[in-house]
Amino acid sequence: MMMTDISHYLKTQSHLIEEELDRLIPARHGPYQQLFESARYAILGGGKRLRPILTLTTTRMLEGNVQFALRPACTLEMIHTYSMIHDDLPCMDNDDYRRGKLTVHKKYSEGHAVLTGDYLLTYAFELLASDPHLNAEKKAQLITILARQSGSDGMIGGQVMDLIYEGQKVSLDTLRLLHRNKTAALITAAIEFGGIIANANPSQLDSLRQFGEAIGLAFQVIDDILDITSSEAKHGRSIASDIRNEKSTYVSLLGIEQAQSYALNFYNQAIKALKPLPYDTSFLVGLADFILKRKS
Ligand code: IPE
Ligand code: IPE
Ligand code: MG
Ligand code: MG
Ligand code: MG
């Protein structure tokens, strides 16, 4: 699929996700209306929606019910957004811009940013547990995947490593684990979600997981590159944040050129992982291309 086709596809899919997010987190009046205001501020009107789009795309590829995938897909965006709100806090990366706007703690306050993240995290699991379109077994499977991939052996563990290794030169293996946990885990969850919703068999799920891990790793290598090569206007967030925070990144370890070829290597692994699947994988390949070539 061409890059121009994929950008049209991304637009239509983002639109579906945004509409559902808008329905799931409506503005509310009352004593804690600010919670819904800050949550809507953080989650609506910005972001590539890559994780939920991966869920919709995987579900569609496996001929599952895309309508039923919409709400679970949005729970991934909630967990991702919570992780970004907390990642930007002064006690973490201390960044002022995200998705072309002030970060939540800059717009509101640190306390509200912590609570907005907590709300999105908690609400995501409430939505899965009460999803009217999923049977009990599928709910339990999705909840387990989401908790695991965003927990200690996933995003949170990765963020802890990210803090611990600030200012240190780490091995390539350590950096790979850091990135696998902080970024690839949730991206893998997005693909697994599609597999579960569309009843993939265990060997297909295994291929999907391998694809997810590989594009997730490619995604973070490119994120590290963009942190120094992009502009704030293009990227919509504070740049050179990694340098300021002395982060261990692929760029600090390998330099930009080698980091690029490292990303390409993960991309190739991802494409290979799709080979055994007896479906039309062109949209997942298109998303992998987008991940590698994106400029924001
Ligand atoms: C940024 O994620 C943070 C990482 C996990 C690397 P995205 O680049 O997907 O951010 P949005 O959702 O498009 O804003
Ligand atoms: C954050 O990684 C990944 C998370 C899981 C929160 P970064 O700190 O590199 O993300 P950006 O560059 O601020 O978006
Ligand atoms: Mg960070
Ligand atoms: Mg950051
Ligand atoms: Mg980054």
Side-chain angles (χ1 to χ4, degrees), residues 252-263:
S252 67
L253 204 61
L254 301 172
I256 289 180
E257 228 159 89
Q258 272 206 63
Q260 283 280 7
S261 59
Y262 205 62

Side-chain angles (χ1 to χ4, degrees), residues 96-124:
D96 295 351
Y97 291 95
R98 168 75 56 190
R99 295 175 164 175
K101 301 189 286 198
L102 283 174
T103 44
V104 178
H105 65 272
K106 281 278 165 186
K107 171 86 178 170
Y108 298 92
S109 72
E110 281 179 40
H112 285 296
V114 170
L115 291 167
T116 304
D118 292 343
Y119 161 59
L120 291 172
L121 160 62
T122 313
Y123 187 44

Side-chain angles (χ1 to χ4, degrees), residues 80 83-84 87-88 93 95 98 155 159 162 182-183 220 223-224 227 235 237 241-242 247:
H80 168 60
S83 80
M84 301 282 84
D87 178 74
D88 290 331
D93 294 352
D95 283 319
R98 168 75 56 190
M155 187 271 291
Q159 288 286 71
D162 191 273
K182 89 166 178 174
T183 303
Q220 184 61 49
D223 182 83
D224 288 353
D227 187 78
H235 210 26
R237 51 183 131 134
S241 168
D242 295 336
K247 293 288 187 193

Side-chain angles (χ1 to χ4, degrees), residues 32-282:
Y32 43 91
Q33 65 184 42
Q34 198 191 294
L35 179 61
F36 306 101
E37 199 188 296
S38 56
R40 287 172 63 84
Y41 175 83
I43 209 166
L44 297 176
K48 295 179 286 298
R49 315 300 187 195
L50 178 72
R51 295 150 192 83
I53 290 174
L54 282 167
T55 301
L56 299 186
T57 306
T58 307
T59 306
R60 196 175 287 115
M61 177 186 81
L62 298 170
E63 292 153 19
N65 188 327
V66 179
Q67 209 51 40
F68 290 1
L70 210 47
R71 187 186 281 217
C74 285
T75 67
L76 288 153
E77 189 66 16
M78 289 176 195
I79 297 292
H80 168 60
T81 305
Y82 122 69
S83 80
M84 301 282 84
I85 297 170
H86 286 188
D87 178 74
D88 290 331
L89 284 168
C91 57
M92 300 275 285
D93 294 352
N94 192 19
D95 283 319
D96 295 351
Y97 291 95
R98 168 75 56 190
R99 295 175 164 175
K101 301 189 286 198
L102 283 174
T103 44
V104 178
H105 65 272
K106 281 278 165 186
K107 171 86 178 170
Y108 298 92
S109 72
E110 281 179 40
H112 285 296
V114 170
L115 291 167
T116 304
D118 292 343
Y119 161 59
L120 291 172
L121 160 62
T122 313
Y123 187 44
F125 285 100
E126 180 189 342
L127 285 171
L128 286 177
S130 63
D131 192 311
H133 303 303
L134 300 170
N135 64 30
E137 192 190 348
K138 281 193 179 167
K139 284 183 202 175
Q141 283 174 314
L142 296 187
I143 289 168
T144 305
I145 289 167
L146 192 60
R148 184 177 292 143
Q149 302 287 42
S150 61
S152 58
D153 293 321
M155 187 271 291
I156 295 172
Q159 288 286 71
V160 170
M161 288 181 80
D162 191 273
L163 281 182
I164 287 173
Y165 293 116
E166 274 178 10
Q168 287 185 47
K169 203 168 170 72
V170 299
S171 72
L172 207 54
D173 278 350
T174 304
L175 194 57
R176 188 192 159 106
L177 179 66
L178 192 167
H179 283 189
R180 186 264 156 208
N181 284 346
K182 89 166 178 174
T183 303
L186 198 61
I187 288 177
T188 305
I191 316 242
E192 290 181 281
F193 264 38
I196 299 294
I197 292 161
N199 303 309
N201 68 35
S203 96
Q204 292 169 348
L205 273 174
D206 198 47
S207 299
L208 291 170
R209 254 180 239 118
Q210 285 175 33
F211 171 77
E213 292 238 341
I215 56 159
L217 288 165
F219 184 86
Q220 184 61 49
V221 181
I222 301 294
D223 182 83
D224 288 353
I225 294 172
L226 290 173
D227 187 78
I228 48 169
T229 59
S230 195
S231 65
E232 230 147 79
K234 244 192 212 157
H235 210 26
R237 51 183 131 134
S238 317
I239 53 156
S241 168
D242 295 336
I243 297 171
R244 177 168 35 83
N245 290 311
E246 295 182 55
K247 293 288 187 193
S248 287
T249 72
Y250 281 103
V251 178
S252 67
L253 204 61
L254 301 172
I256 289 180
E257 228 159 89
Q258 272 206 63
Q260 283 280 7
S261 59
Y262 205 62
L264 182 62
N265 170 53
F266 287 131
Y267 167 89
N268 289 330
Q269 279 179 30
I271 302 304
K272 213 168 126 200
L274 292 176
K275 284 275 155 22
L277 293 170
Y279 292 96
D280 174 7
T281 57
S282 59

